[in-house]
Amino acid sequence: MTEAPHLSVVIPLAPREAEHGGLLAALHALPPGQEVILVRAAGQAPPDPGPWPPHLLLRHAEAPAGRARQMNAGALLAGGEWLWFLHADSRLLPGTLPALLRFTARGAPALGWFALRFRADGPWPTQLNAWGANCRSACLGLPFGDQGLVLPADSFRALGGYDEAAPYGEDHLLVWAAHTARLPVRPVGAALSTSARKYACRGWLGTTWLHWRLTALQAWGAWRRLRAARAAAPPRR
């Protein structure tokens, strides 16, 4: 019988996604026996992963379009003890995989996140956005999905997975659910890069302001729910 993988990497692919090739090539460096799950939007042709190494399992899944639905579908198919959710435009840096493997090898249940870096495919002020995201994550424990969230599969299921009814910010809500459940939210100890193309296409100031406004609105409701849940919970001994 084949041993279950320690890690399942779940990658949702938006319709007409074309950014995943570089990520898949970097994932070839995973240790033998791990699995990568590509979840395409319903109605899209299966993606071409290029030459695939025999030491890794590659699985394909399909789900209704929407990042939360696609990531939940991938998690449902996954057989790994740990789930690592990556966006298609994420790119691994030299220290990414070693830090990830140390983090999961410790076995302590936690939701891990990577420091964020933006690539040079957008306006230079995105470096300020990365700095702000890393400060927010370190000080408030609120990383977002482009920071490569990783957690035990059992913990993900206990949290109820990603909220498919949320119009945006499903990653943000998962982190709040972790805080409500007292699942530690911890840095993995390395960085991950992502594309800044949306800032180039939509404008840096407008995109930044939209993200801040939507995040603040969502965080206010999530914080109130967290406070109510902890007030109603029996004292911890």
Side-chain angles (χ1 to χ4, degrees):
M1 182 180 294
T2 303
E3 185 178 354
H6 176 69
L7 178 71
S8 295
V9 185
V10 178
I11 306 171
L13 301 177
R16 297 174 295 281
E17 178 62 68
E19 289 285 321
H20 56 283
L23 174 60
L24 294 182
L27 290 173
H28 291 182
L30 284 167
Q34 313 313 304
E35 68 176 0
V36 176
I37 303 172
L38 299 177
V39 190
R40 67 185 182 275
Q44 301 295 304
D48 178 9
W52 194 254
H55 72 278
L56 297 177
L57 176 63
L58 178 65
R59 308 176 78 174
H60 291 268
E62 184 180 71
R67 188 172 279 162
R69 289 186 287 271
Q70 289 173 245
M71 290 191 292
N72 282 343
L76 187 63
L77 182 64
E81 301 170 53
W82 287 78
L83 302 176
W84 189 22
F85 296 97
L86 289 177
H87 294 178
D89 60 359
S90 295
R91 294 294 182 270
L92 311 188
L93 298 174
T96 302
L97 281 182
L100 170 74
L101 297 174
R102 288 193 298 269
F103 184 87
T104 61
R106 287 195 287 268
L111 190 156
W113 54 272
F114 289 83
L116 180 66
R117 294 183 187 173
F118 280 107
R119 296 197 294 280
D121 56 356
W124 71 263
T126 54
Q127 306 311 313
L128 300 177
N129 297 72
W131 176 83
N134 294 330
C135 288
R136 182 194 65 233
S137 303
C139 298
L140 301 178
L142 292 176
F144 286 176
D146 52 9
Q147 293 174 254
L149 303 183
V150 56
L151 72 166
D154 288 345
S155 298
F156 180 76
R157 288 188 286 268
L159 295 178
Y162 289 101
D163 185 350
E164 298 182 6
Y168 65 91
E170 69 287 331
D171 46 359
H172 185 210
L173 293 176
L174 181 71
V175 173
W176 279 102
H179 284 300
T180 301
R182 301 186 186 276
L183 178 69
V185 177
R186 295 174 176 157
V188 174
L192 191 67
S193 78
T194 192
S195 173
R197 56 185 172 164
K198 64 184 176 184
Y199 293 94
C201 294
R202 305 172 192 169
W204 176 80
L205 184 60
T207 304
T208 299
W209 168 245
L210 177 64
H211 286 182
W212 273 98
R213 183 169 63 85
L214 293 178
T215 297
L217 288 171
Q218 195 174 63
W220 173 244
W223 178 78
R224 293 181 66 183
R225 290 190 294 272
L226 171 62
R227 187 175 65 169
R230 290 192 171 176
R236 298 182 71 184
R237 296 183 178 180

